[in-house]
């Protein structure tokens, strides 16, 4: 089977894609319902879209909220700093920082509701003991508290600037766009011919003839269409401020990820140990017990009925072969010897030979990765091929392994029925968690009807022992 590789995995994969499918197997049909709804160009829809209206509302609210937060922060921090000569300054300063943290929670909620920006809460206070002193110390030691104070101080000048720009652009654009509807106000109520564009002691220019009115409306139309994009550019800075100062720090986020990954690794190791114990107890151990009993019976019958004893010994010999095969399979499930001795190419070829469908294996590696990464890659492909054997209904499959810069890439493709989903809580979800524990990624592209394309990405570390 000639493999087809999806463009959805990015240029680093270096593969093409079929003509009828876009990213993640979505068919490209121009007459879809979504296309009919969006035939109006984005530039014309922008002034009326909920997203742009929410961004404009965010900018409008930023000024009064920032004034309030800035006033609170500067007043309380100044008061606390002034009182540091006495013990009262410390709790006042802690209360100021706690208030800034509270305003930070409000800002995250406002950004989530109006900008659609999801920002996780920063690390909580680590109060080791009960009491006001312990809480005060935790607030003062928390980096999130000081980042919230910095946000309160920095956001006010930006809020003033963005408010002025957004209001000026919106009001000027709409005023000029609707000028043909209200220019009659000037000759009727002010005694002048129209909107004054220029004037001095001897000369005045009014927008009063049809051509000038039309040009004014066109300029207003352009300003109105540009206003949402200008506001979006302004709110981009707000997004950066909220994410950088009011969310968790990168170090804390990384620590949380590592703690989560460590938990996954520990749970996975425990599950593997339980599986090995169960396989030994229910399989090889039970067969060995039966084998010992059969040999004991054969020993007793050896003198009385040699033929029956010989038959029982022959059956025991067959049982020994079965036990040995189970132990080989169990050892292969722990870590196959062929992987250690000959690497991924030979090991994956061995796995592919046991698959129920023909599998083409192509391993393009000039050197071996670290044993831990090599083992994860082997078991990832092994589990994916087991899924193909059990669930895909495929007639053929293919496995490709290659290196891209500092990443090890695995891709398994089959022409089965499709419909695989890593988010459905299946074995693919557990596989994705295992890969994530080592900073790996699992991407599943499996539209209904197939084909299924699973790509795994692992960090590359060289085998320094090889």
């Amino acid at each position: 089977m000639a493999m087809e590789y999806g463009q959805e995995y990015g240029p680093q994969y270096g593969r093409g894609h079929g003509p009828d499918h876009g990213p993640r197997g979505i068919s490209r049909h121009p007459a879809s319902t979504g296309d009919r709804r969006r035939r109006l160009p984005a530039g014309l829809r922008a002034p009326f879209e909920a997203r742009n209206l929410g961004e404009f509302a965010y900018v409008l609210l930023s000024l009064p909220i920032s004034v309030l937060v800035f006033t609170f922060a500067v007043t309380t921090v100044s008061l606390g700093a002034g009182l540091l000569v006495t013990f009262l300054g410390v709790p006042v300063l802690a209360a100021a920082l706690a208030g800034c943290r509270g305003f930070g929670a409000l800002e995250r909620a406002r950004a989530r509701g109006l900008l659609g920006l999801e920002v996780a809460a920063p690390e909580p206070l680590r109060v080791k003991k009960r009491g006001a002193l312990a809480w005060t110390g935790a607030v003062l030691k928390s980096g999130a508290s000081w980042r919230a104070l910095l946000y309160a101080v920095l956001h006010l000048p930006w809020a003033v600037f963005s408010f002025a720009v957004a209001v000026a652009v919106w009001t000027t654009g709409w005023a000029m766009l609707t000028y043909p509807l209200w220019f009659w106000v000037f000759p009727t109520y002010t005694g002048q011919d129209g909107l004054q564009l220029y004037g001095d002691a001897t000369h005045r220019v009014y927008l009063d003839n049809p051509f000038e009115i039309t040009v004014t409306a066109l300029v207003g139309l352009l300003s109105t269409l540009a206003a949402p994009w200008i506001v979006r550019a302004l709110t981009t800075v707000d997004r950066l401020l909220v994410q950088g100062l009011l969310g968790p720090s990168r170090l804390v986020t990384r620590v949380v990820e590592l703690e989560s990954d460590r938990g996954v690794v520990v749970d996975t190791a425990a599950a593997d140990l339980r599986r090995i114990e169960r396989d030994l107890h229910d399989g090889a151990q039970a067969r060995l017990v039966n084998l010992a009993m059969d040999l004991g019976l054969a020993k007793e019958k050896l003198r009385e009925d040699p033929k029956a004893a010989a038959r029982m010994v022959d059956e025991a010999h067959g049982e020994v072969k079965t036990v040995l095969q189970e132990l080989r399979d169990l050892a292969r499930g722990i870590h196959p010897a062929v992987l250690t001795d000959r690497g991924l190419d030979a090991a994956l070829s061995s796995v592919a030979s046991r698959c129920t469908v023909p599998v083409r294996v192509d391993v393009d590696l000039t050197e071996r990765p670290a044993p831990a990464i090599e083992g994860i890659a082997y078991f990832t492909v092994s589990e994916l091929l087991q899924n193909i054997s059990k669930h895909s209904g495929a007639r053929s499959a293919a496995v490709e392994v290659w290196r891209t810069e500092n990443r090890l890439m695995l891709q398994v493709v089959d022409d089965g029925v499709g419909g695989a989903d890593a988010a459905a809580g299946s074995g693919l979800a557990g596989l994705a968690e295992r890969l994530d524990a080592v900073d790996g990624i699992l991407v599943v592209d499996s539209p209904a009807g197939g084909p299924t394309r699973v790509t795994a990405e692992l960090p590359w570390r060289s085998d320094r022992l090889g």
Side-chain angles (χ1 to χ4, degrees):
M1 170 187 173
M3 291 178 61
E4 298 176 355
Y5 300 92
Q7 189 181 17
E8 62 270 22
Y9 299 117
Q12 70 271 25
Y13 297 93
R15 314 300 188 210
H17 65 85
D20 298 328
H21 292 85
R24 301 189 66 80
I26 301 175
S27 299
R28 292 174 176 168
H29 297 298
S32 63
T33 304
D35 289 339
R36 294 194 197 101
R37 294 175 181 173
R38 296 184 177 272
R39 284 178 180 173
L40 191 65
L44 297 179
R45 297 195 315 267
F48 309 101
E49 287 186 332
R51 173 182 177 179
N52 295 289
L53 296 177
E55 291 172 343
F56 185 58
Y58 183 91
V59 172
L60 293 181
L61 291 174
S62 289
L63 181 59
I65 292 178
S66 294
V67 170
L68 176 63
V69 175
F70 180 88
T71 303
F72 169 82
V74 171
T75 303
T76 53
V77 170
S78 300
L79 178 62
L83 292 175
L84 282 178
V85 294
T86 67
F87 181 75
L88 293 177
V90 175
V92 171
L93 187 58
L97 294 176
C100 290
R101 289 177 67 104
F103 282 120
L106 172 64
E107 287 295 276
R108 289 193 300 273
R110 191 165 67 95
R112 181 169 55 251
L114 297 177
L115 300 181
L117 177 65
E118 292 289 341
V119 178
E123 59 275 16
L125 296 178
R126 298 190 175 185
V127 183
K128 298 181 180 180
K129 299 179 181 179
R130 294 182 179 181
L133 288 178
W135 177 85
T136 299
V139 173
L140 294 175
K141 292 178 182 179
S142 173
S145 302
W146 295 100
R147 292 199 305 272
L149 173 62
L150 182 62
Y151 176 87
V153 174
L154 294 181
H155 194 250
L156 177 61
W158 176 252
V160 172
F161 174 79
S162 59
F163 180 90
V165 172
V167 171
V169 170
W170 271 99
T171 55
T172 301
W174 280 104
M176 295 176 69
L177 177 61
T178 58
Y179 183 60
L181 303 178
W182 57 272
F183 82 97
W184 57 268
V185 171
F186 293 96
T188 303
Y189 295 103
T190 65
Q192 62 185 42
D193 296 333
L195 184 65
Q196 184 175 330
L197 183 62
Y198 172 78
D200 55 26
T202 60
H203 182 67
R204 291 180 177 84
V205 177
Y206 297 101
L207 302 175
D208 54 357
N209 62 59
F211 174 75
E212 294 173 343
I213 293 173
T214 303
V215 171
T216 301
L218 290 177
V219 173
L221 176 62
L222 295 178
S223 299
T224 302
L225 296 178
W229 308 104
I230 295 174
V231 173
R232 183 164 301 174
L234 295 172
T235 56
T236 299
V237 178
D238 289 284
R239 294 171 186 269
L240 295 176
L241 288 173
V242 173
Q243 286 179 322
L245 297 178
L246 299 183
S249 65
R250 291 184 179 182
L251 178 60
V252 172
T253 302
R254 185 57 179 162
V255 169
V256 172
E257 290 178 356
L258 292 176
E259 289 178 348
S260 175
D261 292 345
R262 182 184 62 183
V264 171
V265 171
V266 171
D267 292 342
T268 300
D272 289 340
L273 289 175
R274 288 194 299 269
R275 175 182 60 81
I276 293 171
E277 190 277 335
R278 184 177 63 251
D279 291 344
L280 285 173
H281 183 272
D282 297 340
Q285 181 179 343
R287 289 184 180 275
L288 288 174
V289 171
N290 292 333
L291 177 62
M293 295 176 62
D294 291 342
L295 289 175
L297 293 175
K299 180 180 179 181
E300 293 178 357
K301 290 191 176 234
L302 183 60
R303 294 182 180 179
E304 301 175 0
D305 190 354
K307 292 184 179 180
R311 186 173 60 255
M312 296 177 68
V313 170
D314 185 63
E315 293 175 355
H317 182 258
E319 191 73 9
V320 168
K321 292 182 178 179
T322 302
V323 172
L324 288 176
Q325 183 60 43
E326 288 186 357
L327 290 176
R328 289 193 193 98
D329 294 339
L330 184 60
R332 188 182 296 113
I334 298 173
H335 194 85
V338 65
L339 178 62
T340 302
D341 298 337
R342 301 174 57 190
L344 273 175
D345 195 354
L348 295 182
S349 297
S350 175
V351 173
S353 66
R354 298 193 298 272
C355 189
T356 58
V357 301
V359 180
R360 177 171 62 85
V361 178
D362 182 11
V363 178
D364 183 15
L365 296 176
T366 57
E367 61 176 316
R368 294 180 63 173
I373 299 299
E374 194 175 53
I376 294 173
Y378 169 82
F379 288 112
T380 298
V381 174
S382 178
E383 186 165 341
L384 292 174
L385 291 181
Q386 288 181 15
N387 289 341
I388 291 175
S389 298
K390 296 178 182 178
H391 309 297
S392 70
R395 292 175 304 216
S396 61
V399 176
E400 278 212 353
V401 181
W402 71 97
R403 178 184 177 182
T404 300
E405 296 179 356
N406 61 341
R407 307 294 284 182
L408 176 64
M409 311 302 302
L410 317 170
Q411 192 169 72
V412 180
V413 180
D414 70 79
D415 58 357
V417 297
D421 185 6
S426 61
L428 290 175
L431 191 59
E433 290 181 354
R434 294 190 182 193
L435 293 179
D436 184 65
V438 293
D439 288 336
I441 299 173
L442 185 74
V443 179
V444 180
D445 175 25
S446 182
T452 295
R453 181 180 294 104
V454 181
T455 300
E457 180 179 333
L458 290 166
W460 177 273
R461 290 195 290 272
S462 298
D463 182 10
R464 295 181 175 83
L465 300 177

Coordinates of all heavy atoms in Angstrom, one line a residue, residues 70-121:
F70 N -5.9 51.5 39.8 CA -4.7 52.2 39.9 C -4.7 53.1 41.2 O -3.8 53.1 42.0 CB -4.5 53.1 38.7 CG -3.2 54.0 38.8 CD1 -2.0 53.5 38.3 CD2 -3.3 55.3 39.3 CE1 -0.9 54.3 38.4 CE2 -2.1 56.1 39.4 CZ -0.9 55.6 38.9
T71 N -5.9 53.7 41.4 CA -6.0 54.5 42.6 C -5.9 53.7 43.9 O -5.2 54.1 44.8 CB -7.4 55.2 42.6 OG1 -7.5 56.0 41.4 CG2 -7.6 56.1 43.8
F72 N -6.6 52.6 43.9 CA -6.5 51.7 45.1 C -5.0 51.2 45.3 O -4.5 51.3 46.4 CB -7.4 50.5 44.9 CG -7.2 49.4 45.9 CD1 -7.8 49.4 47.1 CD2 -6.4 48.3 45.6 CE1 -7.5 48.5 48.1 CE2 -6.1 47.3 46.5 CZ -6.7 47.4 47.8
A73 N -4.4 50.8 44.2 CA -3.0 50.2 44.3 C -2.0 51.3 44.8 O -1.3 51.0 45.8 CB -2.6 49.6 43.0
V74 N -2.0 52.4 44.2 CA -1.1 53.4 44.5 C -1.3 54.0 45.9 O -0.4 54.2 46.7 CB -1.1 54.6 43.5 CG1 -0.3 55.8 44.0 CG2 -0.6 54.1 42.1
T75 N -2.6 54.2 46.3 CA -2.9 54.7 47.6 C -2.5 53.7 48.7 O -1.8 54.1 49.7 CB -4.4 55.0 47.7 OG1 -4.8 55.9 46.7 CG2 -4.8 55.6 49.1
T76 N -2.9 52.5 48.6 CA -2.7 51.5 49.7 C -1.2 51.1 49.7 O -0.6 51.0 50.9 CB -3.5 50.2 49.4 OG1 -3.3 49.7 48.1 CG2 -5.0 50.5 49.6
V77 N -0.5 51.0 48.6 CA 0.9 50.7 48.7 C 1.7 51.8 49.2 O 2.6 51.6 50.0 CB 1.4 50.3 47.2 CG1 2.9 50.2 47.2 CG2 0.8 49.0 46.8
S78 N 1.3 53.0 48.8 CA 2.0 54.2 49.4 C 1.8 54.3 50.9 O 2.7 54.6 51.7 CB 1.5 55.5 48.7 OG 1.8 55.4 47.3
L79 N 0.6 54.0 51.3 CA 0.3 54.1 52.8 C 1.1 53.0 53.5 O 1.7 53.2 54.5 CB -1.2 53.9 53.0 CG -1.7 53.8 54.4 CD1 -1.4 55.1 55.1 CD2 -3.2 53.5 54.5
G80 N 1.1 51.8 52.9 CA 1.9 50.7 53.5 C 3.3 51.0 53.6 O 4.0 50.7 54.6
A81 N 3.9 51.5 52.5 CA 5.3 51.9 52.5 C 5.6 52.9 53.5 O 6.7 52.9 54.2 CB 5.7 52.3 51.1
G82 N 4.7 53.9 53.6 CA 4.9 55.0 54.6 C 4.9 54.5 56.0 O 5.6 55.1 56.9
L83 N 4.1 53.5 56.3 CA 3.9 52.9 57.6 C 4.9 51.8 58.0 O 4.8 51.2 59.0 CB 2.5 52.4 57.8 CG 1.4 53.5 57.8 CD1 0.0 52.8 57.9 CD2 1.6 54.4 59.0
L84 N 5.9 51.5 57.0 CA 6.8 50.4 57.3 C 7.7 50.8 58.5 O 8.4 49.9 59.0 CB 7.7 50.2 56.0 CG 7.0 49.3 54.9 CD1 7.9 49.2 53.7 CD2 6.5 48.0 55.5
V85 N 7.8 52.0 58.8 CA 8.6 52.4 60.0 C 8.0 51.8 61.3 O 8.7 51.7 62.3 CB 8.8 53.9 60.1 CG1 9.6 54.4 58.9 CG2 7.5 54.6 60.2
T86 N 6.7 51.5 61.2 CA 6.0 50.8 62.3 C 5.6 49.5 61.7 O 5.6 49.2 60.6 CB 4.8 51.6 62.7 OG1 3.8 51.6 61.6 CG2 5.2 53.1 63.0
F87 N 5.1 48.6 62.6 CA 4.7 47.3 62.3 C 3.4 47.4 61.4 O 3.1 46.4 60.7 CB 4.5 46.5 63.5 CG 4.0 45.0 63.2 CD1 5.0 44.1 62.7 CD2 2.7 44.7 63.4 CE1 4.6 42.8 62.5 CE2 2.3 43.4 63.1 CZ 3.2 42.4 62.6
L88 N 2.7 48.4 61.5 CA 1.4 48.5 60.7 C 1.6 48.5 59.2 O 0.7 48.2 58.5 CB 0.6 49.8 61.2 CG 0.1 49.8 62.6 CD1 -0.5 51.2 62.9 CD2 -0.9 48.7 62.8
G89 N 2.8 48.9 58.7 CA 3.0 49.0 57.3 C 2.9 47.6 56.6 O 2.5 47.5 55.5
V90 N 3.4 46.6 57.3 CA 3.4 45.2 56.7 C 2.0 44.7 56.4 O 1.8 44.3 55.3 CB 4.2 44.3 57.7 CG1 4.2 42.9 57.1 CG2 5.7 44.7 57.8
P91 N 1.1 44.7 57.4 CA -0.2 44.2 57.0 C -1.0 45.1 56.0 O -1.7 44.6 55.2 CB -1.0 44.1 58.4 CG -0.2 45.0 59.3 CD 1.2 45.0 58.8
V92 N -0.7 46.4 56.1 CA -1.4 47.3 55.1 C -0.8 46.9 53.7 O -1.6 46.9 52.7 CB -1.1 48.7 55.4 CG1 -1.5 49.6 54.3 CG2 -1.8 49.1 56.7
L93 N 0.5 46.7 53.6 CA 1.0 46.4 52.3 C 0.5 45.0 51.8 O 0.2 44.8 50.6 CB 2.6 46.3 52.4 CG 3.3 46.1 51.1 CD1 3.0 47.2 50.1 CD2 4.8 46.1 51.3
A94 N 0.4 44.0 52.7 CA -0.2 42.7 52.4 C -1.6 42.9 51.9 O -2.0 42.2 50.9 CB -0.1 41.8 53.6
A95 N -2.4 43.7 52.6 CA -3.8 43.9 52.2 C -3.8 44.6 50.8 O -4.7 44.2 50.0 CB -4.5 44.8 53.2
A96 N -2.9 45.5 50.5 CA -2.9 46.1 49.2 C -2.6 45.0 48.1 O -3.3 45.0 47.0 CB -1.8 47.2 49.1
L97 N -1.6 44.2 48.3 CA -1.3 43.1 47.4 C -2.5 42.1 47.2 O -2.8 41.7 46.1 CB -0.1 42.4 47.8 CG 1.2 43.2 47.8 CD1 2.4 42.4 48.3 CD2 1.5 43.7 46.4
A98 N -3.1 41.8 48.3 CA -4.3 40.9 48.3 C -5.4 41.6 47.5 O -6.1 40.9 46.7 CB -4.8 40.6 49.7
G99 N -5.6 42.9 47.6 CA -6.6 43.5 46.8 C -6.3 43.5 45.4 O -7.2 43.4 44.5
C100 N -5.0 43.7 45.0 CA -4.6 43.6 43.6 C -4.8 42.2 43.1 O -5.2 42.1 41.9 CB -3.1 44.0 43.5 SG -2.8 45.8 43.8
R101 N -4.6 41.2 43.9 CA -4.9 39.8 43.4 C -6.4 39.7 43.1 O -6.8 39.0 42.1 CB -4.5 38.8 44.4 CG -3.0 38.7 44.6 CD -2.6 37.7 45.7 NE -3.1 36.3 45.3 CZ -2.3 35.3 44.9 NH1 -1.0 35.6 44.8 NH2 -2.7 34.1 44.6
G102 N -7.2 40.3 44.0 CA -8.7 40.2 43.7 C -9.1 40.9 42.4 O -9.9 40.4 41.7
F103 N -8.5 42.1 42.2 CA -8.7 42.8 41.0 C -8.2 42.0 39.8 O -8.8 42.1 38.7 CB -8.1 44.2 41.0 CG -8.9 45.2 41.8 CD1 -8.3 45.9 42.9 CD2 -10.2 45.5 41.4 CE1 -9.0 46.8 43.6 CE2 -10.9 46.5 42.2 CZ -10.3 47.1 43.3
G104 N -7.1 41.3 40.0 CA -6.6 40.4 38.9 C -7.6 39.4 38.5 O -7.8 39.0 37.3
A105 N -8.3 38.8 39.5 CA -9.3 37.8 39.2 C -10.5 38.4 38.4 O -11.0 37.8 37.5 CB -9.8 37.2 40.5
L106 N -10.8 39.7 38.8 CA -11.8 40.4 38.0 C -11.4 40.6 36.6 O -12.2 40.4 35.6 CB -12.1 41.7 38.7 CG -13.1 42.7 37.9 CD1 -14.5 42.1 37.8 CD2 -13.2 44.0 38.6
E107 N -10.2 41.0 36.4 CA -9.7 41.2 35.0 C -9.6 39.9 34.2 O -9.9 40.0 33.0 CB -8.3 41.9 35.1 CG -8.3 43.3 35.5 CD -9.0 44.2 34.5 OE1 -8.4 44.6 33.5 OE2 -10.2 44.4 34.7
R108 N -9.3 38.8 34.8 CA -9.3 37.6 34.1 C -10.7 37.2 33.7 O -10.9 36.7 32.5 CB -8.7 36.4 34.9 CG -7.2 36.6 35.1 CD -6.6 35.3 35.7 NE -7.2 34.9 37.0 CZ -6.7 35.4 38.1 NH1 -5.7 36.2 38.2 NH2 -7.3 35.0 39.3
A109 N -11.7 37.4 34.5 CA -13.0 37.1 34.2 C -13.5 38.1 33.1 O -14.3 37.6 32.2 CB -13.9 37.3 35.4
R110 N -13.1 39.3 33.1 CA -13.5 40.3 32.1 C -12.9 39.9 30.7 O -13.6 40.0 29.7 CB -13.1 41.7 32.5 CG -13.7 42.8 31.6 CD -13.5 44.1 32.3 NE -12.2 44.6 32.5 CZ -11.6 45.4 31.6 NH1 -12.2 45.8 30.5 NH2 -10.3 45.7 31.7
A111 N -11.7 39.5 30.8 CA -11.0 39.1 29.5 C -11.6 37.8 29.0 O -11.8 37.7 27.8 CB -9.5 38.9 29.8
R112 N -12.0 36.9 29.9 CA -12.7 35.7 29.4 C -14.1 36.0 28.8 O -14.4 35.4 27.8 CB -12.8 34.7 30.6 CG -13.5 33.4 30.2 CD -13.3 32.4 31.4 NE -13.8 32.9 32.6 CZ -13.1 33.2 33.7 NH1 -11.8 33.2 33.6 NH2 -13.7 33.7 34.8
G113 N -14.8 36.9 29.4 CA -16.1 37.2 28.9 C -16.2 38.0 27.7 O -17.0 37.8 26.8
L114 N -15.3 39.0 27.5 CA -15.3 39.9 26.4 C -14.3 39.7 25.3 O -14.6 39.9 24.2 CB -15.1 41.4 26.9 CG -16.2 41.9 27.9 CD1 -15.9 43.3 28.4 CD2 -17.6 41.9 27.2
L115 N -13.2 39.1 25.7 CA -12.2 38.8 24.7 C -12.1 37.3 24.4 O -11.4 36.9 23.4 CB -10.8 39.3 25.2 CG -10.6 40.8 25.5 CD1 -9.2 41.1 26.0 CD2 -11.0 41.6 24.3
G116 N -12.8 36.5 25.1 CA -12.6 35.0 24.9 C -11.3 34.5 25.2 O -10.8 33.5 24.7
L117 N -10.6 35.1 26.2 CA -9.2 34.8 26.6 C -9.3 34.0 27.8 O -9.7 34.4 28.9 CB -8.4 36.0 26.8 CG -7.0 35.8 27.2 CD1 -6.2 35.1 26.2 CD2 -6.3 37.1 27.6
E118 N -8.9 32.7 27.8 CA -8.8 31.8 28.9 C -7.4 31.9 29.6 O -6.5 31.5 29.0 CB -9.2 30.4 28.5 CG -10.6 30.2 28.1 CD -11.6 30.3 29.2 OE1 -11.2 30.2 30.4 OE2 -12.8 30.5 28.9
V119 N -7.4 32.5 30.8 CA -6.1 32.6 31.5 C -6.3 31.9 32.8 O -7.3 32.2 33.6 CB -5.7 34.0 31.7 CG1 -4.4 34.1 32.5 CG2 -5.5 34.7 30.4
A120 N -5.5 30.9 33.1 CA -5.6 30.2 34.4 C -5.2 31.1 35.5 O -4.5 32.0 35.4 CB -4.7 28.9 34.4
A121 N -5.8 30.8 36.7 CA -5.5 31.5 37.9 C -4.0 31.3 38.3 O -3.5 30.2 38.0 CB -6.4 31.1 39.0

